[in-house]
Amino acid sequence: MSAAISHDTSSRSPMSMTSGHLPAGASVGIGIAAIAVGSGLAAALGGFHPVKAGLIAAPLFLGLLYAISASVEGARKAKDRVATATVTGAFGLVMIPLVSLLWTVVTRGSGRMDATFFTDTMRNVVGEGGGIKHALIGTLIVTGLATLFSVPFGLFTAVYLVEYGDTGSRLSRVITMMVDVMTGIPSIVAGLFAYSLFVLFQGSGARSGLAGAVALTVLMTPVVIRSSEEMLRLVQNELREASLALGVPKWKTITKVVLPTSIGGILTGATLAIARVIGETAPLLVTAGLAQDTNWNPLSGRMTTLPVQAYYSFAQPTLPPELSIDRAWGAALVLIIVVAILFTLARVLATILKPKGLR
């Protein structure tokens, strides 16, 4: 019996293990053929259109890919190829609006990327000229205050939920429920809450950068709590147990072991929270208002941010309106650049602060 098996194994072709594979460029060739057929059918059915051609070519490509792969490689490999092609296509489809958005903002906003755009304000500007100095400073002040309020509070809350709060305790359940509720609060509601709070102290019509920061804090805090909580839970319990076994107090274990281990994720989560609120317009329209000049005092007076500046440039353009719209696109581009700088800074800090053994 063993001799027969040995003889059968030795009689197999050396290429039998690799002969059932499609060539490397088979999927690309099938895709090109499907696009060509889809374009032809779309043109024959009332005129060519990219969307119509794509709707025809996509199922045709998946069907051809499955049929050809199943006949050569088997049904299991064919399903794998179809799943891979579907996920890749979905990713490419999602990237289309993102790339289109970035391309539009860069092409429309790069025309105002000059020195005066960053050094001038909108004071006494009617037509040509003007800049975003006041809006950029207002954005940094309001967002900085919101970060100063929300990040420590959110991090301390996450530490309590993970390290001290029993998941079955009533306080932990209440905090978790409130965080979930705050995550779904509309931004305009946060703005109205902050406005009502400051009206109690400053009277009707109160506008200030601090009020805007409070509104953004309401939106930012639950994001910080959730992201920090998840990062803290990812820290291995073995690290905590090893530290506690050496006699290290729990608070010191958290500050010296848990937080340094998860600092990269915490910083990334804080950056995501900042990116979540830095582009908010509705709550700042209610709380901070619109100013034409720089206001360095967040405790008093209106303070303009980049989203509000872009909104008013579109909604209430000056004459000629093209100049005002160009300023709006420029403000949008600067806002994207600020967010990109924040993400880069967060990644650099996460790499620097991460413990050496985890880099």
Side-chain angles (χ1 to χ4, degrees):
M1 180 69 177
S2 59
I5 295 175
S6 176
H7 174 73
D8 180 67
T9 303
S10 61
S11 63
R12 291 179 182 175
S13 171
M15 298 297 294
S16 61
M17 298 298 293
T18 58
S19 58
H21 290 277
L22 290 176
S27 299
V28 177
I30 296 172
I32 294 174
I35 292 174
V37 174
S39 301
L41 291 176
L45 295 175
F48 174 80
H49 192 276
V51 176
K52 186 191 297 184
L55 292 176
I56 298 174
L60 180 61
F61 166 70
L62 295 178
L64 289 174
L65 181 63
Y66 181 83
I68 295 175
S69 178
S71 63
V72 176
E73 302 172 314
R76 182 175 181 178
K77 184 64 176 179
K79 293 177 181 178
D80 179 72
R81 285 186 178 273
V82 170
T84 302
T86 302
V87 173
T88 304
F91 173 75
L93 192 63
V94 171
M95 289 297 294
I96 290 176
L98 176 61
V99 173
S100 176
L101 171 66
L102 292 176
W103 176 259
T104 302
V105 174
V106 171
T107 54
R108 296 292 299 271
S110 57
R112 281 306 317 268
M113 293 294 105
D114 51 75
T116 58
F117 189 64
F118 294 93
T119 57
D120 292 351
T121 65
M122 290 301 297
R123 183 178 183 181
N124 299 327
V125 175
V126 177
E128 187 177 0
I132 60 166
K133 175 186 175 183
H134 61 302
L136 182 59
I137 293 174
T139 299
L140 296 177
I141 291 176
V142 173
T143 309
L145 288 175
T147 304
L148 185 63
F149 295 155
S150 61
V151 170
F153 178 77
L155 181 58
F156 291 156
T157 304
V159 169
Y160 169 78
L161 291 175
V162 176
E163 303 294 337
Y164 293 98
D166 184 5
T167 55
S169 66
R170 179 176 298 180
L171 180 59
S172 296
R173 292 199 304 269
V174 170
I175 293 175
T176 302
M177 182 189 67
M178 292 301 298
V179 171
D180 293 337
V181 171
M182 290 178 64
T183 303
I185 291 179
S187 59
I188 186 62
V189 176
L192 293 174
F193 163 76
Y195 176 76
S196 302
L197 180 65
F198 276 80
V199 163
L200 296 176
F201 299 98
Q202 299 180 353
S204 178
R207 299 288 192 278
S208 66
L210 182 60
V214 170
L216 296 186
T217 301
V218 175
L219 300 173
M220 189 174 173
T221 300
V223 181
V224 176
I225 294 175
R226 277 301 181 204
S227 59
S228 301
E229 182 182 0
E230 293 302 321
M231 291 302 104
L232 292 174
R233 292 188 188 280
L234 290 177
V235 178
Q236 298 91 336
N237 285 328
E238 289 79 3
L239 296 176
R240 297 182 176 89
E241 293 170 356
S243 177
L244 294 174
L246 294 174
V248 179
K250 188 176 182 64
W251 69 268
K252 202 166 187 178
T253 299
I254 296 173
T255 57
K256 297 296 184 179
V257 177
V258 178
L259 289 179
T261 304
S262 58
I263 189 64
I266 292 174
L267 288 176
T268 302
T271 306
L272 288 174
I274 295 173
R276 158 75 173 82
V277 302
I278 198 172
E280 287 291 344
T281 305
L284 297 179
L285 286 173
V286 178
T287 55
L290 176 69
Q292 304 298 331
D293 203 354
T294 304
N295 178 15
W296 293 92
N297 184 9
L299 302 178
S300 176
R302 297 172 179 264
M303 182 175 289
T304 302
T305 59
L306 286 171
V308 175
Q309 175 74 17
Y311 168 77
Y312 274 106
S313 297
F314 272 111
Q316 301 177 6
T318 58
L319 295 177
E322 292 79 11
L323 299 176
S324 184
I325 293 175
D326 288 342
R327 286 193 292 266
W329 283 112
L333 178 57
V334 172
L335 191 61
I336 292 178
I337 294 174
V338 170
V339 173
I341 292 174
L342 289 175
F343 271 105
T344 304
L345 182 61
R347 299 309 302 169
V348 172
L349 289 176
T351 303
I352 295 175
L353 298 177
K354 186 181 295 184
K356 293 182 179 181
L358 299 175
R359 292 181 185 176

